[in-house]
Amino acid sequence: MSDTETPIQPASRRVFIKTYGCQMNVYDSDRMADALAPRGYVPTQEIGEADLVLLNTCHIREKASEKVFSELGRLKDLQGEKRAAGGDLMIGVAGCVAQAEGEEIARRAPVVVMVFGPQAYHRLPDMLDRAQAQRHLHPSLKRAVIDTDFPQEDKFEHLPPAKKEVTIKRGLTAFLTVQEGCDKFCSFCVVPYTRGAEVSRPVAQILGEARNLVEAGVKEITLLGQNVNAYHGLDAAGRSIGLGELAFLLADIPGLERLRYTTSHPRDMDDALIAAHRDLPLLMPYLHLPVQSGSDRILKAMNRKHTAADYLHLIDRIKTARPDMALSGDFIVGFPGETEQDFEDTLTIIRQTGYASAFSFKYSTRPGTPGASLGDQVQEEIKTERLHRLQELVNNQTSAFHASCVGKTLPVLIERHGRMPGQVGGRSPYLQAVHLEGSTDLIGAIHQVEIIGTSTNSLEGRLVAAAA
Ligand code: SAM
Ligand code: SF4
């Protein structure tokens, strides 16, 4: 009997899933909860009431994996308390730290009974059975169940469909993974090793999942992938289609009002996708397009295979197609060999591009990547100082972008109660948080809102016209 054919058991156990890192992990955590539902597990937000705790980990920077080991120390104490009270707690580690460190996790933290990578979570019920079967063994005979294979089968095919009641709880916006893994091998990055080769989901699977989400009340979908615009899934006729064409197919789903995607690579931004931004009003004018550095020398050492000028030219093409496109990016400071001039080149490309927001990181050496064996590592204090200068520039650009919205009327998807009584909150097309006075009846639709003020992280608005 396969995992998905497991007889449904009454909900009696609770699982607490702690998610680290990117949105793809958020999506994966929801799928793990779906995979466990037939075994009678319901998700809980209270770690104290959990029978099973899963840490869905991130390995992108060093601090991310160290956090996991500190958390395992705390969980060991919690397990001790539960056992003293006659209960128990099972602990599993999933995600990219699990993929990268495998057995090492079980060796360093014997409290862990399951270690499994991002490609194995559809086998979670089976792993759980194998871990539970060892329950009454002498501790010296117990072995953690480890599954870090990259399977041939399609994990998405083997998962139960996302439950509608779970989806409703997720609200009006949802993530949908369309592509995983990466073949680009940037010299600083662990993703090709932890997530494996680039794989795209078939079109029919994505359209089916999107329809289910919309039926359950979702108005806005964000398509996810490590390199989402490298998407090349097969359609029913066996034809490979790209993200631009996929966006057109998704746009035909009645009730889907907004579409976003992340994270994109500059080299995969093709004409069809740019045309989709020109022609599809539901494709939001906000694009996360990391460049990492503005120095051609460093871009070459990073193996990015594009120059600063290529990036700027691409931005011009995108803005010609969609003049109000707001941009976001990722930057790494202190890559090995980065000089003050290289860093200045990064500040220059930020000034030339003009970002609505950006994420920036100090370079973190990842064992096994080509960057780890490069000489000329940049001193920590220099990285810190450069990061501060870069973040100051980006923060000023974010404030300027917010200020440029004041006086405009924007469509805002109202998603929730606001921070203050009588307020509601939502998102602008440019992913900015917007707060306004208004009744909770506004929640669930896109309304016209005049922007009347800004604060550091959000906009203040006034309702102009409620949706019909
Ligand atoms: N595929 C996307 C791209 O190529 O732009 C990025 C995905 S990666 C998971 C997210 C971000 O983490 C990267 O854009 C990069 O800025 C950052 N990152 C990756 N490895 C890093 C490292 N070793 N040190 C610091 N930041 C890193
Ligand atoms: Fe990592 Fe992105 Fe480079 Fe792939 S393209 S190796 S995910 S930074």
Side-chain angles (χ1 to χ4, degrees), residues 364-386:
S364 167
T365 309
R366 306 315 292 130
T369 60
S373 52
L374 292 175
D376 214 1
Q377 297 283 330
V378 176
Q379 283 171 16
E380 198 54 32
E381 311 83 76
I382 295 181
K383 286 186 198 171
T384 306
E385 189 265 337
R386 287 180 185 166

Side-chain angles (χ1 to χ4, degrees), residues 287-302:
L287 178 62
H288 184 62
L289 193 65
V291 67
Q292 313 296 351
S293 168
S295 154
D296 287 345
R297 214 175 60 80
I298 295 298
L299 286 171
K300 189 158 194 279
M302 285 176 163

Side-chain angles (χ1 to χ4, degrees), residues 437-448:
E437 302 285 324
S439 134
T440 52
D441 295 346
L442 296 173
I443 294 175
I446 295 174
H447 304 279
Q448 294 302 318

Side-chain angles (χ1 to χ4, degrees), residues 26-267:
V26 174
Y27 177 87
D28 287 355
S29 292
D30 286 341
R31 298 284 80 76
M32 285 182 215
D34 292 340
L36 287 169
R39 295 294 165 112
Y41 279 90
V42 286
T44 174
Q45 304 303 319
E46 290 293 325
I47 197 165
E49 38 173 66
D51 305 284
L52 170 65
V53 172
L54 297 175
L55 304 182
N56 190 11
T57 61
C58 169
H59 201 240
I60 200 85
R61 284 170 290 278
E62 193 178 358
K63 281 208 181 106
S65 45
E66 278 315 310
K67 273 191 210 154
V68 173
F69 285 103
S70 324
E71 184 66 27
L72 287 172
R74 286 190 285 275
L75 287 174
K76 186 172 178 232
D77 295 342
L78 180 63
Q79 187 187 61
E81 285 164 27
K82 289 204 128 197
R83 284 184 176 168
D88 203 356
L89 177 66
M90 290 176 82
I91 298 162
V93 178
C96 294
V97 175
Q99 186 67 42
E101 305 205 6
E103 303 249 357
E104 177 65 9
I105 296 179
R107 198 190 59 74
R108 264 180 80 176
V111 70
V112 173
V113 294
M114 291 181 294
V115 179
F116 55 101
Q119 306 307 329
Y121 57 71
H122 58 300
R123 292 195 288 257
L124 187 49
D126 172 55
M127 287 185 256
L128 203 57
D129 289 346
R130 288 194 280 145
Q132 267 165 343
Q134 299 187 38
R135 228 188 194 149
H136 303 295
L137 291 181
H138 186 271
S140 64
L141 296 173
K142 289 186 186 177
R143 296 282 175 270
V145 177
I146 304 206
D147 189 341
T148 51
D149 288 345
F150 287 110
Q152 291 306 308
E153 80 261 23
D154 176 355
K155 74 176 172 191
F156 297 105
E157 285 257 298
H158 287 73
L159 281 169
K163 291 197 144 178
K164 289 196 179 142
E165 63 273 22
V166 177
T167 309
I168 286 168
K169 228 174 59 206
R170 282 182 205 139
L172 297 157
T173 61
F175 293 133
L176 200 174
T177 292
V178 299
Q179 176 278 342
E180 268 202 284
C182 181
D183 297 335
K184 293 216 165 43
F185 290 92
C186 298
S187 60
F188 51 82
C189 186
V190 288
V191 167
Y193 311 93
T194 55
R195 289 269 176 174
E198 216 167 273
V199 178
S200 294
R201 293 177 72 184
V203 174
Q205 236 184 47
I206 294 167
L207 294 180
E209 191 166 328
R211 280 191 203 101
N212 282 346
L213 290 167
V214 173
E215 238 176 78
V218 167
K219 307 269 186 218
E220 172 179 311
I221 292 181
T222 302
L223 308 177
L224 298 180
Q226 260 88 28
N227 265 320
V228 71
N229 56 346
Y231 176 80
H232 56 280
L234 295 181
D235 69 6
R239 207 169 49 93
S240 170
I241 74 158
L243 194 67
E245 213 174 322
L246 181 68
F248 276 94
L249 295 175
L250 287 162
D252 284 340
I253 297 179
L256 180 61
E257 298 192 26
R258 285 182 165 187
L259 191 61
R260 303 180 186 274
Y261 60 92
T262 196
T263 296
S264 304
H265 192 290
R267 281 176 53 215

